Structures are given as structure tokens and as C-alpha cells.
Amino acid sequence: MAKSKGVRIIVTLECTECRTNANKRSPGVSRYTTTKNRRNTTNRLELKKFCSHCNTHTVHKEIK
């Protein structure tokens, strides 16, 4: 019998400011990895994290 997938999955968070702003300090996009519980959090995750490219705390959204 095969094991079912776990409840917690690994997701990638990407900075929204770096993705939309063309006049940024350096090339690249800030990305973080974290885990989430897919039963409790069914929609996409949004957290405020520090972006080293923007040099500020910005909203990071979950990407596929």
C-alpha cells in the first residue's frame, strides 16, 4: 500500500515589489521557502518578509 502525501507542504514565497519594479537596486528577486499546512491554509500564503534587493520589508506571495 502506498503512503499518502503529508499534510505539510513546502512553498516558495516571492517578493511582489521586485517582480513589478523595473528600477530596482540590483537584479534578481527575493525568495524564501517555508512550509504550510494544506488543510488549514488552502489559499495562497502572503507574509511580510525582508527583501534584500529592495532593502525593506515587503509582501511576499506564494508562487507555484
Side-chain angles (χ1 to χ4, degrees):
M1 213 184 230
K3 282 187 168 182
S4 65
K5 289 187 178 179
V7 176
R8 297 197 72 80
I9 57 171
I10 298 173
V11 294
T12 305
L13 303 174
E14 187 176 78
C15 179
T16 57
E17 299 292 324
C18 288
R19 193 175 357 164
T20 58
N21 189 5
N23 301 325
K24 54 189 167 187
R25 192 171 61 134
S26 64
V29 177
S30 175
R31 289 194 174 134
Y32 286 95
T33 57
T34 187
T35 60
K36 75 170 189 177
N37 189 327
R38 73 170 70 157
R39 287 188 192 150
N40 296 339
T41 312
T42 56
N43 53 354
R44 293 192 181 244
L45 196 61
E46 290 184 9
L47 295 174
K48 281 190 94 170
K49 304 287 276 181
F50 181 77
C51 176
S52 58
H53 299 289
C54 300
N55 207 21
T56 57
H57 283 82
T58 58
V59 175
H60 284 63
K61 290 186 179 180
E62 178 183 341
I63 59 172
K64 204 163 196 179

Coordinates of all heavy atoms in Angstrom, one line a residue:
M1 N 0.8 -1.2 0.0 CA 0.0 0.0 0.0 C 0.9 1.2 0.0 O 1.8 1.3 0.8 CB -0.9 0.0 1.2 CG -2.2 0.6 1.0 SD -3.0 0.6 2.6 CE -4.5 -0.1 2.1
A2 N 0.6 2.2 -0.8 CA 1.3 3.4 -0.9 C 1.0 4.4 0.2 O -0.2 4.5 0.6 CB 1.1 4.1 -2.3
K3 N 2.0 5.2 0.6 CA 1.7 6.2 1.6 C 1.0 7.4 1.0 O 1.4 7.7 -0.1 CB 3.0 6.6 2.3 CG 3.6 5.7 3.3 CD 4.8 6.4 4.0 CE 5.2 5.6 5.2 NZ 6.3 6.3 5.8
S4 N 0.2 8.0 1.7 CA -0.5 9.3 1.2 C 0.5 10.4 1.4 O 1.4 10.4 2.2 CB -1.8 9.5 1.9 OG -1.5 9.8 3.3
K5 N 0.3 11.5 0.7 CA 1.1 12.7 0.9 C 0.9 13.3 2.2 O -0.2 13.2 2.8 CB 0.7 13.7 -0.2 CG 1.2 13.3 -1.6 CD 1.0 14.5 -2.5 CE 1.5 14.1 -3.9 NZ 1.2 15.2 -4.9
G6 N 1.9 14.0 2.7 CA 1.8 14.6 4.0 C 0.9 15.8 4.0 O 0.6 16.3 2.9
V7 N 0.5 16.3 5.2 CA -0.3 17.4 5.3 C 0.5 18.7 5.0 O 0.0 19.6 4.4 CB -1.0 17.5 6.6 CG1 -1.9 18.7 6.8 CG2 -1.9 16.2 6.8
R8 N 1.7 18.7 5.5 CA 2.5 19.9 5.3 C 3.3 19.9 4.0 O 3.9 18.8 3.7 CB 3.5 20.1 6.5 CG 2.8 20.2 7.8 CD 3.6 20.8 8.9 NE 4.0 22.2 8.8 CZ 3.2 23.2 9.1 NH1 2.0 23.0 9.5 NH2 3.6 24.4 8.9
I9 N 3.3 21.0 3.3 CA 4.0 21.0 2.0 C 4.9 22.2 2.0 O 4.8 23.2 2.8 CB 3.0 21.2 0.8 CG1 2.1 22.4 1.0 CG2 2.2 19.9 0.7 CD1 1.3 22.7 -0.2
I10 N 6.0 22.2 1.2 CA 7.0 23.2 1.1 C 6.5 24.2 0.0 O 6.1 23.8 -1.1 CB 8.3 22.7 0.7 CG1 8.8 21.7 1.8 CG2 9.3 23.8 0.5 CD1 10.1 21.0 1.5
V11 N 6.5 25.5 0.3 CA 6.0 26.5 -0.6 C 7.2 27.5 -0.8 O 8.0 27.7 0.1 CB 4.7 27.2 -0.2 CG1 3.6 26.2 -0.2 CG2 4.9 27.8 1.2
T12 N 7.2 28.3 -1.9 CA 8.1 29.3 -2.2 C 7.4 30.7 -2.1 O 6.4 30.8 -2.7 CB 8.8 29.1 -3.5 OG1 9.3 27.8 -3.6 CG2 9.9 30.1 -3.8
L13 N 8.0 31.6 -1.4 CA 7.5 33.0 -1.3 C 8.4 33.9 -2.1 O 9.6 33.9 -2.0 CB 7.4 33.4 0.1 CG 6.6 32.6 1.1 CD1 6.8 33.1 2.5 CD2 5.2 32.6 0.8
E14 N 7.7 34.8 -2.9 CA 8.5 35.7 -3.8 C 8.0 37.1 -3.5 O 6.9 37.4 -3.4 CB 8.2 35.3 -5.3 CG 9.0 36.1 -6.3 CD 8.8 35.6 -7.7 OE1 7.8 36.0 -8.2 OE2 9.6 34.9 -8.2
C15 N 9.0 38.0 -3.6 CA 8.7 39.4 -3.3 C 7.9 40.0 -4.5 O 8.1 39.8 -5.6 CB 10.0 40.2 -3.2 SG 9.8 42.0 -3.0
T16 N 6.8 40.8 -4.1 CA 5.9 41.4 -5.1 C 6.5 42.7 -5.6 O 6.3 43.0 -6.8 CB 4.6 41.6 -4.5 OG1 4.7 42.5 -3.3 CG2 3.9 40.4 -4.1
E17 N 7.3 43.4 -4.8 CA 7.9 44.6 -5.3 C 9.0 44.4 -6.3 O 9.1 45.1 -7.3 CB 8.5 45.4 -4.1 CG 7.5 45.8 -3.1 CD 6.5 46.8 -3.6 OE1 6.9 47.7 -4.4 OE2 5.3 46.7 -3.2
C18 N 9.8 43.4 -6.2 CA 10.9 43.1 -7.1 C 10.4 42.7 -8.4 O 10.9 42.9 -9.5 CB 11.8 42.0 -6.6 SG 12.9 42.6 -5.2
R19 N 9.3 41.9 -8.4 CA 8.7 41.4 -9.6 C 8.1 42.5 -10.5 O 8.2 42.5 -11.7 CB 7.6 40.4 -9.3 CG 7.2 39.6 -10.4 CD 6.2 38.5 -10.1 NE 5.8 38.4 -8.7 CZ 4.8 37.7 -8.2 NH1 4.0 37.2 -9.0 NH2 4.6 37.7 -6.9
T20 N 7.5 43.6 -9.9 CA 6.8 44.6 -10.6 C 7.7 45.8 -10.9 O 7.5 46.6 -11.9 CB 5.6 45.1 -9.9 OG1 5.9 45.5 -8.6 CG2 4.6 43.9 -9.8
N21 N 8.7 46.1 -10.1 CA 9.5 47.3 -10.2 C 10.7 47.1 -11.1 O 11.6 46.3 -10.9 CB 10.0 47.7 -8.8 CG 10.6 49.1 -8.8 OD1 10.6 49.8 -9.8 ND2 11.2 49.5 -7.7
A22 N 10.8 47.9 -12.2 CA 11.9 47.8 -13.1 C 13.1 48.6 -12.7 O 14.3 48.2 -13.0 CB 11.5 48.3 -14.5
N23 N 12.9 49.6 -11.9 CA 14.0 50.4 -11.4 C 14.5 50.0 -10.0 O 14.3 50.7 -9.0 CB 13.6 51.9 -11.3 CG 13.2 52.4 -12.7 OD1 13.8 52.0 -13.7 ND2 12.2 53.3 -12.8
K24 N 15.0 48.8 -9.9 CA 15.4 48.3 -8.6 C 16.9 48.4 -8.4 O 17.6 48.7 -9.3 CB 14.9 46.9 -8.4 CG 15.3 45.9 -9.4 CD 14.6 44.6 -9.2 CE 14.8 43.8 -10.5 NZ 14.0 42.6 -10.4
R25 N 17.3 48.2 -7.2 CA 18.7 48.4 -6.8 C 19.6 47.4 -7.5 O 20.7 47.8 -8.0 CB 18.8 48.3 -5.3 CG 20.1 48.8 -4.7 CD 20.0 48.8 -3.2 NE 19.7 47.5 -2.7 CZ 20.3 46.9 -1.7 NH1 21.2 47.6 -1.0 NH2 20.0 45.8 -1.2
S26 N 19.2 46.1 -7.5 CA 20.1 45.1 -8.1 C 19.2 44.1 -8.8 O 18.0 43.9 -8.5 CB 20.9 44.4 -7.0 OG 20.1 43.7 -6.2
P27 N 19.8 43.4 -9.8 CA 18.9 42.4 -10.5 C 18.6 41.2 -9.6 O 19.4 40.8 -8.8 CB 19.8 42.0 -11.7 CG 21.2 42.3 -11.3 CD 21.1 43.4 -10.4
G28 N 17.5 40.6 -9.8 CA 17.1 39.4 -9.0 C 15.8 39.6 -8.3 O 15.3 40.7 -8.2
V29 N 15.3 38.6 -7.7 CA 14.1 38.6 -7.0 C 14.3 37.8 -5.6 O 14.9 36.8 -5.6 CB 12.9 37.9 -7.8 CG1 11.7 37.8 -7.0 CG2 12.7 38.6 -9.1
S30 N 13.8 38.4 -4.6 CA 14.0 37.8 -3.2 C 13.0 36.6 -3.1 O 11.8 36.8 -3.4 CB 13.7 38.8 -2.2 OG 13.7 38.3 -0.9
R31 N 13.5 35.5 -2.7 CA 12.6 34.3 -2.5 C 13.0 33.6 -1.2 O 14.1 33.5 -0.8 CB 12.9 33.3 -3.6 CG 12.3 33.8 -4.9 CD 12.2 32.7 -5.9 NE 11.5 33.1 -7.1 CZ 11.9 32.9 -8.3 NH1 13.0 32.2 -8.5 NH2 11.2 33.3 -9.4
Y32 N 11.9 33.2 -0.5 CA 12.0 32.4 0.7 C 11.3 31.1 0.5 O 10.3 31.0 -0.2 CB 11.4 33.1 1.9 CG 12.2 34.3 2.4 CD1 11.9 35.6 2.0 CD2 13.2 34.1 3.4 CE1 12.6 36.7 2.4 CE2 13.9 35.2 3.9 CZ 13.6 36.5 3.4 OH 14.3 37.6 3.9
T33 N 11.7 30.0 1.3 CA 10.9 28.8 1.3 C 10.5 28.6 2.7 O 11.1 28.9 3.7 CB 11.8 27.6 0.9 OG1 12.9 27.5 1.7 CG2 12.2 27.7 -0.6
T34 N 9.2 28.0 2.8 CA 8.6 27.7 4.1 C 7.7 26.6 3.9 O 7.5 26.1 2.8 CB 7.9 29.0 4.7 OG1 7.5 28.7 6.0 CG2 6.8 29.4 3.8
T35 N 7.1 26.2 5.0 CA 6.1 25.1 4.9 C 4.7 25.6 5.4 O 4.6 26.6 6.1 CB 6.4 23.9 5.8 OG1 6.5 24.3 7.2 CG2 7.7 23.3 5.4
K36 N 3.7 25.0 4.9 CA 2.3 25.4 5.3 C 1.5 24.1 5.4 O 1.8 23.1 4.7 CB 1.7 26.4 4.4 CG 1.2 25.8 3.1 CD 0.4 26.9 2.3 CE -0.3 26.2 1.1 NZ -1.2 27.2 0.4
N37 N 0.5 24.2 6.2 CA -0.5 23.1 6.4 C -1.6 23.2 5.3 O -2.3 24.2 5.3 CB -1.1 23.1 7.8 CG -1.9 21.9 8.1 OD1 -2.5 21.3 7.2 ND2 -1.9 21.5 9.4
R38 N -1.7 22.3 4.4 CA -2.6 22.5 3.3 C -4.1 22.3 3.7 O -5.0 22.7 3.0 CB -2.3 21.5 2.2 CG -2.6 20.1 2.4 CD -2.5 19.3 1.2 NE -1.1 19.1 0.8 CZ -0.6 18.2 0.1 NH1 -1.4 17.3 -0.4 NH2 0.6 18.1 -0.2
R39 N -4.3 21.7 4.9 CA -5.7 21.6 5.4 C -6.2 22.9 6.0 O -7.3 23.3 5.8 CB -5.8 20.4 6.4 CG -5.7 19.1 5.8 CD -6.0 18.0 6.8 NE -5.6 16.7 6.3 CZ -5.2 15.7 7.0 NH1 -5.1 15.8 8.3 NH2 -4.9 14.5 6.5
N40 N -5.3 23.5 6.8 CA -5.7 24.8 7.5 C -5.6 26.0 6.5 O -6.4 26.9 6.7 CB -4.9 25.0 8.7 CG -5.1 23.9 9.7 OD1 -6.1 23.2 9.7 ND2 -4.1 23.8 10.6
T41 N -4.6 26.0 5.7 CA -4.4 27.2 4.8 C -4.5 26.7 3.3 O -3.6 26.3 2.7 CB -3.0 27.7 5.0 OG1 -2.8 27.9 6.4 CG2 -2.9 29.1 4.3
T42 N -5.8 26.8 2.8 CA -6.0 26.3 1.5 C -5.6 27.3 0.4 O -5.2 27.0 -0.7 CB -7.4 25.9 1.3 OG1 -8.3 27.0 1.6 CG2 -7.8 24.7 2.2
N43 N -5.8 28.6 0.7 CA -5.4 29.7 -0.2 C -4.0 30.0 -0.2 O -3.2 29.5 0.6 CB -6.3 30.9 0.0 CG -6.2 31.4 1.4 OD1 -5.6 30.8 2.3 ND2 -6.8 32.5 1.7
R44 N -3.5 30.9 -1.1 CA -2.1 31.2 -1.2 C -1.6 32.0 0.0 O -2.4 32.9 0.5 CB -1.8 31.9 -2.5 CG -2.0 31.1 -3.7 CD -1.4 31.7 -4.9 NE -1.7 30.8 -6.0 CZ -0.7 30.3 -6.7 NH1 0.5 30.5 -6.4 NH2 -1.0 29.5 -7.8
L45 N -0.4 31.8 0.4 CA 0.1 32.4 1.6 C 0.7 33.8 1.3 O 1.4 33.9 0.2 CB 1.2 31.5 2.2 CG 1.7 31.7 3.6 CD1 0.6 31.5 4.6 CD2 2.8 30.7 3.9
E46 N 0.6 34.8 2.1 CA 1.2 36.1 2.0 C 1.8 36.5 3.3 O 1.1 36.5 4.3 CB 0.1 37.1 1.6 CG -0.4 37.0 0.2 CD -1.4 38.1 -0.2 OE1 -1.5 39.1 0.6 OE2 -2.0 38.0 -1.2
L47 N 3.1 36.8 3.3 CA 3.8 37.2 4.6 C 4.6 38.4 4.3 O 5.1 38.6 3.1 CB 4.7 36.1 5.1 CG 4.0 34.8 5.5 CD1 5.1 33.7 5.9 CD2 3.1 35.0 6.7
K48 N 4.8 39.2 5.3 CA 5.8 40.3 5.2 C 7.2 39.8 5.6 O 7.3 39.4 6.7 CB 5.4 41.5 6.0 CG 4.3 42.4 5.4 CD 4.1 43.6 6.1 CE 4.9 44.7 5.5 NZ 4.6 46.0 6.0
K49 N 8.1 39.9 4.6 CA 9.5 39.4 4.9 C 10.4 40.5 4.4 O 10.1 41.4 3.7 CB 9.7 38.1 4.1 CG 8.8 37.0 4.4 CD 9.0 36.3 5.7 CE 10.1 35.3 5.6 NZ 10.4 34.6 6.8
F50 N 11.7 40.4 4.9 CA 12.7 41.3 4.4 C 13.2 41.0 3.1 O 13.6 39.8 2.8 CB 13.9 41.4 5.4 CG 14.9 42.4 5.0 CD1 14.7 43.7 5.3 CD2 16.1 42.0 4.4 CE1 15.7 44.6 4.9 CE2 17.1 42.9 4.1 CZ 16.9 44.2 4.3
C51 N 13.2 41.9 2.2 CA 13.7 41.8 0.8 C 15.1 42.4 0.7 O 15.2 43.6 0.9 CB 12.8 42.4 -0.2 SG 13.4 42.2 -1.9
S52 N 16.1 41.7 0.4 CA 17.5 42.2 0.4 C 17.7 43.1 -0.9 O 18.6 43.9 -0.9 CB 18.5 41.1 0.4 OG 18.3 40.2 -0.6
H53 N 16.9 42.9 -1.9 CA 17.0 43.7 -3.1 C 16.4 45.0 -3.0 O 16.9 46.0 -3.4 CB 16.4 42.9 -4.3 CG 17.1 41.6 -4.6 ND1 18.4 41.5 -5.1 CD2 16.7 40.3 -4.3 CE1 18.7 40.2 -5.2 NE2 17.7 39.5 -4.7
C54 N 15.2 45.1 -2.3 CA 14.5 46.3 -2.0 C 15.0 47.0 -0.8 O 14.8 48.2 -0.6 CB 13.0 46.1 -1.9 SG 12.2 45.3 -3.3
N55 N 15.7 46.3 0.1 CA 16.2 46.7 1.4 C 15.1 47.2 2.3 O 15.3 48.1 3.1 CB 17.3 47.8 1.1 CG 18.3 47.9 2.3 OD1 18.4 46.9 3.0 ND2 18.9 49.0 2.4
T56 N 13.9 46.6 2.2 CA 12.8 46.9 3.1 C 12.0 45.7 3.4 O 12.2 44.6 2.7 CB 11.9 48.0 2.5 OG1 11.4 47.5 1.2 CG2 12.5 49.3 2.3
H57 N 11.0 45.8 4.3 CA 10.1 44.7 4.5 C 8.9 44.8 3.5 O 8.3 45.9 3.5 CB 9.6 44.7 5.9 CG 10.5 44.2 6.9 ND1 11.6 45.0 7.4 CD2 10.7 43.0 7.5 CE1 12.3 44.2 8.3 NE2 11.7 43.0 8.3
T58 N 8.7 43.8 2.7 CA 7.7 43.9 1.7 C 6.8 42.6 1.7 O 7.2 41.6 2.4 CB 8.3 44.0 0.2 OG1 9.1 42.8 0.0 CG2 9.1 45.2 0.1
V59 N 5.7 42.6 1.0 CA 4.8 41.5 1.0 C 5.4 40.4 0.0 O 5.8 40.7 -1.1 CB 3.4 41.9 0.5 CG1 2.5 40.7 0.4 CG2 2.8 42.9 1.5
H60 N 5.5 39.2 0.5 CA 6.0 38.1 -0.3 C 4.8 37.1 -0.4 O 4.2 36.7 0.5 CB 7.1 37.3 0.4 CG 8.4 38.0 0.3 ND1 8.6 39.3 0.9 CD2 9.6 37.7 -0.3 CE1 9.9 39.6 0.7 NE2 10.5 38.7 0.0
K61 N 4.5 36.8 -1.7 CA 3.3 35.9 -2.0 C 3.8 34.5 -2.4 O 4.9 34.4 -3.0 CB 2.5 36.5 -3.1 CG 1.7 37.7 -2.7 CD 0.8 38.2 -3.8 CE 0.0 39.4 -3.3 NZ -0.9 39.9 -4.4
E62 N 3.0 33.5 -2.2 CA 3.3 32.2 -2.6 C 3.2 32.0 -4.1 O 2.3 32.5 -4.7 CB 2.3 31.2 -1.9 CG 2.5 29.8 -2.3 CD 1.5 28.9 -1.7 OE1 0.8 29.3 -0.7 OE2 1.3 27.8 -2.2
I63 N 4.3 31.4 -4.7 CA 4.3 31.1 -6.1 C 4.1 29.6 -6.3 O 4.4 28.8 -5.4 CB 5.5 31.6 -6.8 CG1 6.8 31.1 -6.3 CG2 5.5 33.2 -6.8 CD1 8.0 31.4 -7.0
K64 N 3.8 29.2 -7.5 CA 3.6 27.8 -7.8 C 4.9 27.1 -8.0 O 5.9 27.6 -8.4 CB 2.8 27.6 -9.0 CG 2.1 26.3 -9.1 CD 1.0 26.3 -10.1 CE 0.1 25.1 -9.8 NZ -1.0 25.1 -10.7

